[in-house]
Amino acid sequence: MRKITAGLFISLDGVIEAPETWHFPYFNEEMGGVVGSLAAAADTMLLGRNTWQMFSGYWPNATDDVELAAHMNDTRKLVISTTLTDVSAWQNSEILAGDPAETLAAIKETDGKDLSVVGSVTLVRSLLRSKLLDELHLLVHPIAVGHGAKLFVEDEEPLPLGLISSTAFSTGVLHSVYRAA
């Protein structure tokens, strides 16, 4: 059975927005190993509309000398959106047909590698609530960013999670893996 996984860079105060502005001082081989293993374990990316639109403006034009370009462009991409009608701007992209929860549950039963949520925080929240997300990998950085979009938003119902594993990196980053409880 395939798993749906998600990996996110997150600050101590829960910010996930614009990690490129605060996470690089903490990136090392340990973190690279986690990111690489999540990518290698998946043959399909799951993207929400916003993330797909942002990525499709960059990755299709990235040449193979850009790290991850081949992986990002060659991997199958399923876009979960009720408003997009055309995703042909980025190769190997298709709109997920039908009810997302039902369709993803059916895809999990097929043969293949894992499905990996890339960015797409709203999608991560939805998958957690529907108990379709098998593993949430949080790379918790030892920094309080102070502003920006957070993984969990106010006024939502509590969402209990179960800790699968946790590892501290030499940079102070914690790699914690959760599942819906």
Side-chain angles (χ1 to χ4, degrees):
M1 183 161 137
R2 300 168 83 170
K3 294 187 301 188
I4 298 178
T5 64
L8 297 171
F9 299 138
I10 188 167
S11 68
L12 282 177
D13 55 347
V15 174
I16 47 79
E17 183 177 4
E20 69 279 2
T21 65
W22 49 265
H23 109 93
F24 283 112
Y26 305 98
F27 194 89
N28 66 1
E29 285 186 24
E30 295 164 304
M31 190 182 300
V34 168
V35 172
S37 68
L38 286 171
D43 64 5
T44 304
M45 286 185 227
L46 300 177
L47 302 134
R49 178 187 53 83
N50 288 333
T51 302
W52 184 87
Q53 287 177 315
M54 182 175 44
F55 285 6
S56 69
Y58 174 77
W59 287 110
N61 302 311
T63 57
D64 286 343
D65 60 325
V66 174
E67 190 173 359
L68 292 177
H71 171 76
M72 295 296 286
N73 289 322
D74 295 343
T75 301
R76 177 185 187 204
K77 292 164 275 297
L78 296 176
V79 184
I80 292 82
S81 174
T82 58
T83 57
L84 285 176
T85 57
D86 181 19
V87 292
S88 62
W90 190 11
Q91 64 267 39
N92 300 315
S93 294
E94 59 188 276
I95 296 173
L96 186 72
D99 174 78
E102 290 177 14
T103 303
L104 289 172
I107 291 172
K108 285 176 67 169
E109 297 296 326
T110 64
D111 290 333
K113 290 182 165 185
D114 294 343
L115 297 95
S116 178
V117 181
V118 180
S120 305
V121 177
T122 302
L123 178 58
V124 168
R125 282 189 218 117
S126 174
L127 292 170
L128 276 170
R129 291 205 178 280
S130 65
K131 299 195 184 233
L132 283 170
L133 189 69
D134 298 289
E135 293 180 1
L136 173 61
H137 293 253
L138 294 180
L139 292 152
V140 185
H141 291 58
I143 184 172
V145 177
H147 61 280
K150 296 188 175 188
L151 173 56
F152 298 107
V153 295
E154 291 185 33
D155 298 326
E156 283 190 348
E157 291 295 316
L159 180 62
L161 302 173
L163 181 65
I164 297 171
S165 67
S166 185
T167 307
F169 295 161
S170 60
T171 59
V173 170
L174 291 175
H175 173 219
S176 296
V177 184
Y178 296 92
R179 68 176 177 284

